[in-house]
Amino acid sequence: MPIETNRLKLPLPLGNESVSRVGINNIFEKIDEGVATREEVEELRQSVSEMDIPDASLTEKGKVQLSSKTNGNREDVAATEKAVGLAFQAGVERKAEVVAALNSIGVSASTSESWDSLINKLAGVVRAKGNADPSDVRAGKSFSNSNQVDIVGTLLEQTTDTLTITPGVNTKTNPPGIYGGDIIVAGEPNLVPGNIVKGVKIFDVEGTYNPTDVIQWGAGNKLIQGATRTETFYQVYPLSETGINILYSTDYLELTGAVGGGSNLQSYLHLAYQKSNNVWQSLVVLDGTGFSVSNSGGTGTANYVQYINALVIDPQNGYMTYQRSTSKTLSNFSPVVKNFPTTNLKNLSIVMSISTTVPHANTLMKLYQSGITTLSRVFT
């Protein structure tokens, strides 16, 4: 059988076949039938140009424009090979940057990992927080806050030792900074209302002391303290260290001692002050106030036989005067004048000294005032 061409099916004579004129004419006629004329081609081109092909969309086929952009967001264009290549390269570079950032903060990562793996590692990184400023952080130390990393502090270290602040007349200001040791503000036990003039406020303590006040102590017995083996002082009357003190009574003032069997005691009234260790130190022993009593069995009571009245003390001039008598009727009074040093008069007071070499449970000491009058302290 003769072989035919693929498209027009024209016969291709074999090598043993003869070709006739008729056969050749038939072949040309088929060629002529299959070839379009210039007019037909132009007509086809015109028809194609007039066709209405819709734009392609995400849901419909159609014509589409090409684009090489890698940062666009349109959905009616198609990416070119170049755009795809650029996008891929950018992804590779961003992945390398993410891996480098993770490794720089100590998180192990590799570009061979998937994006899902890298994203999980990013999510586990703790982001810097806080609102500290350089002035809040020790100088030379670095820190991070919610806005910045590797910030260097500027707050100075003032001292690492204990800082003791003693209040005074002038305001004391310590510069801002870090104080590594304890900060101690000294207290003052004498900072009490009664030691501050009325109308004056020192720190948060309002004064109540009025130099013209008369402080009265009601008549009767006042138990001071049980006697001890060594001499012990007990405060009886606090005095002003700056004003003139006047102690007076229209009757009398005496000491009374009661002892148990086998005991003995001694007692005196003193003008005294407290030393730096708050131990009482006698300035003057008042004449006529001392006595001793002992008892070998049972109990006993003793009274000193001289009495004090009209006591005046001027600490600023180191002057003391009072009257003493051997009679409860206040007769036979004789004046006494004493002088004493004017330095170091902390808590100046009239105190009672009590001592015994053989203490006993029944040994007591009382300061006794007449039951019908009052004893007063006047500050002037």
Side-chain angles (χ1 to χ4, degrees), residues 113-162:
E113 295 183 61
S114 67
W115 274 109
D116 287 342
S117 174
L118 295 176
I119 290 171
N120 286 334
K121 290 182 177 181
L122 286 172
V125 175
V126 178
R127 181 175 178 270
K129 297 181 179 180
N131 57 0
D133 291 323
S135 59
D136 300 322
V137 179
R138 186 191 298 269
K141 300 294 184 180
S142 61
F143 68 100
S144 302
N145 57 27
S146 59
N147 299 318
Q148 192 178 352
V149 298
D150 293 333
I151 311 167
V152 179
T154 60
L155 185 61
L156 298 177
E157 182 178 78
Q158 299 296 347
T159 180
T160 57
D161 297 328
T162 298

Side-chain angles (χ1 to χ4, degrees), residues 67-84:
S67 174
S68 293
K69 287 185 176 182
T70 59
N71 61 348
N73 57 7
R74 293 174 59 185
E75 294 182 333
D76 57 353
V77 295
T80 63
E81 180 180 357
K82 177 181 178 181
V84 173

